[in-house]
Amino acid sequence: MTHLILNIVAGVLLFGAAALLLWRPRAARGHSRPPAPAEFFPVHCRYFPQVRQALSSDDAIYLSGRASAAVCRRWNKGRRRAGRLYLAGLRQDFARLNRLARLLAVLSPKVRARQEGELLLLNLRFQILYETVVFRIALGQPAAEDLGRLASLIGGLGSRLEQAALTTDLPAGAITL
Amino acid sequence: MTFSDLSQPLSFLGAAGEIGVCLLALVRGLWRRLPWFTAYLLLVNVVDTSRWAVMYYHGSGSPAYSWTYWMTQPLLILARGAALADVCREALGRYTGVWQLARYLLAGTAAAILLLAAVHTSGSRGVASYVIFVERELEFAVLITLLLLLVLSRYYEVALDAPLGGLALGLAFYSSIVIVTGSILIGRFTLPWAVFSSVRIAGWDVTLGCWFYALRAPLAALVRPQLSTVESYEENTRVVSGRMRELNARLLALTRR
């Protein structure tokens, strides 16, 4: 009986997954256009100096001597929120670059299984690690320095790929987005 | 109204749908893009016409009809496999690099599931139950292979444009119907043949509806993508993976502090 139920559930779930993967939002249908190279460039990591100021510990020291405990608490909460949002932005930057890597693979006449597998694994690992860092920030751990390192890393990757993408022709209509 | 009453109009609808979809496929010139899928549609018509002829002369309960039905069923299953391979090739074949990788993945997955199916079905007895068992396992292979194709298409952002999306949806739907009904029939539930038959025919009718809808518009001209060079790919992916590795190392260091 268990076998029977498992088979039926598997059949239904597999079809559901296939239908979900086949579904494309109406906006995406019939409006296929080639991606512009600028769509892949990191955006958020460029604003790190402003975010660093907001997250710096100097402000915390300054405020602790002048503001009430309630104001400090509110400020801390806002600071953590800003950190989280900035981290989400960094993830978006990373996703764009990862997307560019996949586009490069699609347009290549030959791809290496090992390289593609490695990219996939690295991406999965990034997602897991990213969630862990978000959790740490939510717990109130200092974040400015960490975010700075991440921003410079993603920014560096972006600038190298900007050059690569600008010299690589992304043929019109090659990929529908 | 009983299920037996229901199966006859559904069968007529299916027969008309099969002819309609096949004609539409020929009018649209589907064979230029999907030759095996078109051949499958033609085969379905030939097989079903011969089944109807045998049923007309010998009756639906006759051994001749039963023999014809179960002997032609494996032929259709194999043709479905070829049609699926055609859909996979058409979806990713233009992107030569990714296709080289994908075809090994798809063929490997299908082969692994078929091997499992062979192990599963080795103990079954009787032509009918054996074919139902094999059919269900093969439809599992079709559905999983199709799912892998869709995952790869999503991952590489290659859209399954018309008519591929509708054709794939139809294939997936019918496979799931076969899996569900086959499982119930094989299992301990005693499913009346009329119910089994009606559900399958209704599922087939829906599938034909999907294909008809997918083929409603003329096929768009095929755009061959302008590929880059192997050197560009290798250089850029090396940069990406190197940076990703570095980034992950930093993230890992953050979590350990």
Side-chain angles (χ1 to χ4, degrees):
Chain A
M1 185 60 103
T2 317
H3 204 247
L4 164 76
I5 292 166
L6 274 178
N7 277 320
I8 292 171
V9 170
V12 172
L13 284 181
L14 285 172
F15 171 70
L20 208 66
L21 285 167
L22 274 167
W23 185 80
R24 282 168 72 197
R26 194 170 282 276
R29 272 178 264 159
H31 290 91
S32 53
R33 58 175 179 80
E39 281 180 32
F40 301 106
F41 301 155
V43 179
H44 304 281
C45 62
R46 291 174 183 166
Y47 301 109
F48 180 67
Q50 291 91 321
V51 178
R52 181 170 51 193
Q53 183 56 45
L55 299 176
S56 91
S57 50
D58 298 345
D59 288 357
I61 297 162
Y62 178 80
L63 264 181
S64 62
R66 285 168 175 79
S68 65
V71 169
C72 280
R73 261 201 311 276
R74 213 167 61 211
W75 176 78
N76 250 326
K77 204 176 154 189
R79 205 165 74 125
R80 272 206 297 274
R81 189 169 172 269
R84 271 201 310 272
L85 287 173
Y86 186 64
L87 202 57
L90 288 184
R91 177 152 78 168
Q92 217 175 60
D93 282 352
F94 186 86
R96 284 170 177 210
L97 295 169
N98 187 34
R99 190 166 164 231
L100 178 58
R102 280 179 278 146
L103 179 67
L104 291 167
V106 163
L107 295 179
S108 169
K110 197 178 168 189
V111 298
R112 289 190 191 283
R114 202 176 149 191
Q115 229 157 11
E116 290 304 301
E118 193 186 8
L119 273 177
L120 182 70
L121 283 177
L122 284 168
N123 187 28
L124 286 174
R125 200 161 174 227
F126 171 81
Q127 302 303 334
I128 296 166
L129 289 169
Y130 167 85
E131 292 302 337
T132 319
V133 174
V134 168
F135 183 66
R136 282 174 64 90
I137 289 174
L139 289 179
Q141 310 244 351
E145 203 185 323
D146 304 341
L147 289 177
R149 280 201 213 105
L150 289 180
S152 68
L153 201 68
I154 297 175
L157 170 60
S159 61
R160 284 288 299 275
L161 282 169
E162 269 179 37
Q163 287 168 357
L166 289 171
T167 52
T168 306
D169 288 329
L170 298 179
I175 288 187
T176 50
L177 299 164
Chain B
M1 188 184 248
T2 63
F3 273 100
S4 308
D5 300 330
L6 201 65
S7 74
Q8 207 165 26
L10 284 173
S11 297
F12 280 118
L13 188 71
E18 279 169 16
I19 296 167
V21 169
C22 193
L23 286 175
L24 195 60
L26 294 174
V27 168
R28 298 282 181 236
L30 190 70
W31 72 88
R32 285 190 216 106
R33 284 176 64 178
L34 297 163
W36 289 104
F37 194 92
T38 315
Y40 167 64
L41 290 176
L42 283 166
L43 185 72
V44 164
N45 274 279
V46 171
V47 166
D48 271 356
T49 309
S50 34
R51 281 176 181 173
W52 278 83
V54 174
M55 192 167 73
Y56 181 77
Y57 286 109
H58 299 278
S60 59
S62 67
Y65 177 73
S66 180
W67 189 88
T68 311
Y69 183 89
W70 293 114
M71 286 300 115
T72 48
Q73 200 62 8
L75 199 65
L76 287 178
I77 297 168
L78 286 176
R80 277 172 69 75
L84 173 70
D86 225 12
V87 170
C88 293
R89 183 194 46 78
E90 179 62 15
L92 293 175
R94 281 170 287 165
Y95 306 95
T96 46
V98 167
W99 176 235
Q100 277 170 11
L101 178 70
R103 68 182 175 191
Y104 287 118
L105 267 174
L106 293 165
T109 308
I113 302 163
L114 291 178
L115 198 70
L116 273 174
V119 174
H120 268 163
T121 51
S122 58
S124 54
R125 298 275 178 273
V127 179
S129 63
Y130 183 73
V131 173
I132 290 170
F133 209 33
V134 170
E135 193 182 32
R136 190 195 66 181
E137 300 295 312
L138 290 182
E139 291 300 344
F140 257 126
V142 168
L143 202 49
I144 291 169
T145 311
L146 198 59
L147 200 65
L148 183 63
L149 168 76
L150 296 176
V151 168
L152 284 170
S153 305
R154 266 289 166 111
Y155 181 73
Y156 287 110
E157 298 191 16
V158 176
L160 262 73
D161 288 326
L164 280 185
L167 299 181
L169 184 73
L171 277 173
F173 181 75
Y174 189 65
S175 292
S176 67
I177 288 286
V178 172
I179 290 167
V180 171
T181 52
S183 298
I184 293 172
L185 205 67
I186 296 163
R188 286 181 191 169
F189 279 132
T190 45
L191 186 73
W193 185 259
V195 179
F196 170 81
S197 175
S198 297
V199 173
R200 277 240 176 146
I201 297 167
W204 178 240
D205 290 353
V206 173
T207 300
L208 289 169
C210 286
W211 292 345
F212 202 89
Y213 186 76
L215 292 166
R216 74 194 183 284
L219 306 184
L222 203 65
V223 181
R224 294 242 164 240
Q226 189 190 329
L227 301 177
S228 64
T229 59
V230 180
E231 291 77 29
S232 152
Y233 160 76
E234 288 195 342
E235 192 193 324
N236 291 322
T237 23
R238 216 177 13 250
V239 174
V240 178
S241 52
R243 289 283 178 161
M244 281 167 112
R245 256 197 308 273
E246 205 181 324
L247 185 69
N248 280 343
R250 290 273 172 91
L251 277 169
L252 191 65
L254 293 182
T255 59
R256 282 181 181 163
R257 273 194 315 144

